[in-house]
Amino acid sequence: MSYPEPQDRVSDRYQAGIGSRGYYDLRRVVIIAIFAAITIVLGLIEAMIPLQLAVPGAKLGLGNIMVLTCLYFLRARDALTLIALKTVLTALILGTFSSFLFSIAGSLLSFLFMYGLLRIGSGRFSMIGISLVGGVTHNIGQLGAATIVLGTAKIFYYLPFLMAAGIVTGIFVGLAARYLIQRLERIPAFEELRYS
């Protein structure tokens, strides 16, 4: 069974009078809410994995699977909304105010780089490469926030260890995001949103 091209489906929906900006906005809100719920669950699962015993401060960053997927299908502001929800809700459940600051600084810096590679790179970078850059820049953002909070840049001595952990976890997250995106691309609703 063959599906019409995404733009054709979008045009057909508008011509039929059942499509509107509100239609796609509502669909985006639902998807962001679902993605946010999944990131919270992934955060709870991640909290039970003792990775920090090997590299203190290092995390798998499982929530970035959903952020990367959101960046791929939706708009930048949708991904920012997801990041804000993920950071605030995870901090309320699991963290402290300082962990919120570190997390939001790392998340925003990694968002800037991942968005730039996805949009400006125009397909020249793999999802694994983008995730890897996101993992490393997330750690740099966290250390930058820690430098401001603690009033010393000496904490950056820890950067090589976090970068090594960020490379490993970034590859894992990239593989998972690529798998998820490939599956979601088969769903017409996601394909339409990417072209709307």
Side-chain angles (χ1 to χ4, degrees):
M1 179 178 179
S2 62
Y3 292 102
E5 290 300 317
Q7 289 295 345
D8 292 340
R9 286 202 299 272
V10 173
S11 299
D12 290 346
R13 197 178 296 281
Y14 273 92
Q15 288 171 7
I18 59 175
S20 67
R21 178 63 62 187
Y23 174 83
Y24 289 104
D25 285 344
L26 177 60
R27 184 178 287 184
R28 284 192 180 92
V29 169
V30 172
I31 290 175
I32 292 169
I34 294 171
F35 279 15
I38 294 173
T39 60
I40 301 305
V41 173
L42 291 175
L44 294 173
I45 293 172
E46 187 174 325
M48 294 187 287
I49 301 175
L51 178 66
Q52 295 194 34
L53 293 177
V55 184
K59 292 183 178 180
L60 283 174
L62 297 178
N64 276 340
I65 297 171
M66 305 315 298
V67 173
L68 268 173
T69 305
C70 187
L71 270 172
Y72 183 83
F73 286 107
L74 304 181
R75 302 168 299 189
R77 57 185 170 180
D78 298 324
L80 278 173
T81 301
L82 176 62
I83 288 170
L85 289 171
K86 172 177 80 77
T87 306
V88 171
L89 294 176
T90 303
L92 286 174
I93 296 172
L94 299 171
T96 61
F97 182 69
S98 59
S99 67
F100 166 77
L101 287 179
F102 300 159
S103 180
I104 194 69
S107 295
L108 290 177
L109 186 63
S110 66
F111 162 80
L112 288 174
F113 277 85
M114 291 193 299
Y115 176 75
L117 292 177
L118 262 175
R119 294 294 184 264
I120 301 173
S122 301
R124 287 193 289 267
F125 301 100
S126 70
M127 194 55 64
I128 295 174
I130 293 170
S131 173
L132 196 155
V133 171
V136 171
T137 53
H138 189 280
N139 290 332
I140 293 174
Q142 283 184 310
L143 288 180
T147 298
I148 295 172
V149 172
L150 300 175
T152 174
K154 291 182 180 178
I155 197 170
F156 265 92
Y157 86 91
Y158 196 52
L159 181 59
F161 302 102
L162 281 181
M163 285 183 67
I167 289 171
V168 174
T169 57
I171 291 172
F172 172 77
V173 167
L175 285 170
R178 186 177 68 180
Y179 178 84
L180 178 60
I181 288 169
Q182 287 173 346
R183 295 301 178 271
L184 292 180
E185 278 182 326
R186 300 176 183 178
I187 302 174
F190 278 92
E191 200 174 9
E192 285 180 3
L193 277 175
R194 192 166 183 233
Y195 288 92
S196 65

